[in-house]
Amino acid sequence: MALRRGFRKEAREITLEVREELGIGVFAALDPYALAELYGIEVMDLSHPCLPPESVRYFTEKRPHVFSGALVPLQPSGAFIIENHVHHPRRRRATVAHEMAHVLLEHPFSFTLTDDTGCRAAVAEIEEEATELSGELLIPTGAARTAALKGWSDQLVASYFRVSVPMARWRMNKTGARKIAARSWHRQAQEHAASA
């Protein structure tokens, strides 16, 4: 499924605005928890005492892969995020960023669940937008291109931006960062050869 026309540009603009609000540059690791706090969205995990112990055991011990997080509406107009605390911190960061993307995009929702295959919601377009924006929030297009020009591996990108290696690889590929870097290096080599 394709994103609506102009959405990637919109996601880049939202990301720049959010990073400015947080006081961080494009080439900095974004803290999705700080983003949630900035927007008044509480993030809690499955260890919260108000949750039924049998459900918590199910999602943390028996089948932890089926639940990463959820954006839960609060009446009349609020929401909170609940995340699975047994997941790796980098996965948790991606989950919170994804749920915050729904908030930033003001998506209509009733209750969304995120599992190991992504967010479960009725509208695929909404999920695709949230996935795209969360990736842009965590590794902006400009940052991916800078990392590619520096010759960074997917592992180094993942470590620097505190995301998983698959997330880093996806963003580096999705942004075309390495192709752009290769063209730049090729052009520089040609200019150097021509001036020699």
Side-chain angles (χ1 to χ4, degrees):
M1 180 167 299
L3 288 164
R4 63 183 160 83
R5 185 182 175 120
F7 181 77
R8 285 194 177 94
K9 181 176 186 275
E10 180 183 334
R12 288 191 297 271
E13 290 168 355
I14 291 169
T15 294
L16 292 176
E17 289 171 16
V18 163
R19 284 174 168 269
E20 187 175 325
E21 290 174 0
L22 288 169
I24 61 172
V26 173
F27 200 74
L30 179 137
D31 180 355
Y33 297 93
L35 177 61
E37 184 178 345
L38 179 68
Y39 280 79
I41 305 293
E42 182 181 357
V43 180
M44 57 194 299
D45 64 40
L46 291 175
S47 67
H48 197 280
C50 75
L51 297 172
E54 60 279 0
S55 297
V56 171
R57 262 192 308 282
Y58 180 80
F59 289 124
T60 59
E61 296 172 15
K62 293 182 179 177
R63 299 197 62 206
H65 63 283
V66 301
F67 178 80
S68 293
L71 180 61
V72 182
L74 286 175
Q75 296 304 326
S77 61
F80 68 92
I81 294 170
I82 187 162
E83 64 171 340
N84 194 334
H85 63 282
V86 300
H87 288 178
H88 191 281
R90 291 181 182 187
R91 170 118 177 249
R92 291 170 64 184
R93 287 169 46 80
T95 297
V96 173
H98 181 94
E99 301 305 345
M100 281 305 300
H102 284 298
V103 172
L104 293 169
L105 293 167
E106 300 178 358
H107 283 155
F109 70 95
S110 54
F111 185 78
T112 61
L113 293 176
T114 305
D115 62 15
D116 60 347
T117 61
C119 204
R120 294 188 214 163
V123 182
E125 295 86 14
I126 286 175
E127 288 315 312
E128 193 167 353
E129 287 180 3
T131 297
E132 182 69 26
L133 178 55
S134 63
E136 186 70 30
L137 288 167
L138 292 169
I139 306 176
T141 299
R145 291 176 181 169
T146 299
L149 287 168
K150 291 175 179 260
W152 285 12
S153 66
D154 292 338
Q155 290 76 11
L156 187 51
V157 171
S159 177
Y160 183 83
F161 290 101
R162 300 180 3 227
V163 298
S164 68
V165 172
M167 165 70 85
R169 183 177 305 116
W170 171 66
R171 288 301 297 162
M172 296 303 285
N173 291 336
K174 184 83 169 180
T175 60
R178 291 204 171 96
K179 289 179 182 177
I180 291 167
R183 283 196 299 265
S184 175
W185 295 329
H186 180 72
R187 189 170 40 253
Q188 288 173 2
Q190 285 180 326
E191 289 170 1
H192 180 71
S195 65

